Amino acid sequence: ADLTGADLSRAYFSRLNFSSSTLAEANFRGSTLEVVNFSRADLTGADFSRAHLTGADFTGSNRDRAVFEKTVGYVPPRE
């Protein structure tokens, strides 16, 4: 899916699969993203500020210039 620039701020997603999606410049500010799969997704410049990311999977994703300020539960993948 191509959701470039999408405004998903303050959204609630649980167990959603965004793997291999294009989410460049997407706005996830203040969202709750529980057990969401972002593996191999393009997250270039995406904003996750103040998002709740418990159990989210970022393995193999492109996080260049992505913002993770004041997030809860963000664990950078070991790659």
Side-chain angles (χ1 to χ4, degrees), residues 33 51-58 68 70-76:
L33 306 161
H52 292 254
L53 301 168
T54 304
D57 180 6
F58 291 92
F68 290 92
K70 299 184 181 178
T71 59
V72 174
Y74 175 63
V75 179

Side-chain angles (χ1 to χ4, degrees), residues 12-75:
Y12 176 84
F13 295 120
S14 180
R15 301 188 185 282
L16 191 64
N17 186 0
F18 281 126
S19 65
S20 300
S21 294
T22 302
L23 296 157
E25 306 296 329
N27 180 4
F28 290 98
R29 288 179 66 92
S31 294
T32 298
L33 306 161
E34 296 175 346
V35 194
V36 172
N37 183 357
F38 290 104
S39 63
R40 299 178 313 283
D42 180 2
L43 303 171
T44 303
D47 188 353
F48 291 92
S49 298
R50 299 183 185 275
H52 292 254
L53 301 168
T54 304
D57 180 6
F58 291 92
T59 304
S61 62
N62 180 353
R63 297 176 306 282
D64 291 343
R65 299 186 330 273
V67 179
F68 290 92
E69 292 180 9
K70 299 184 181 178
T71 59
V72 174
Y74 175 63
V75 179

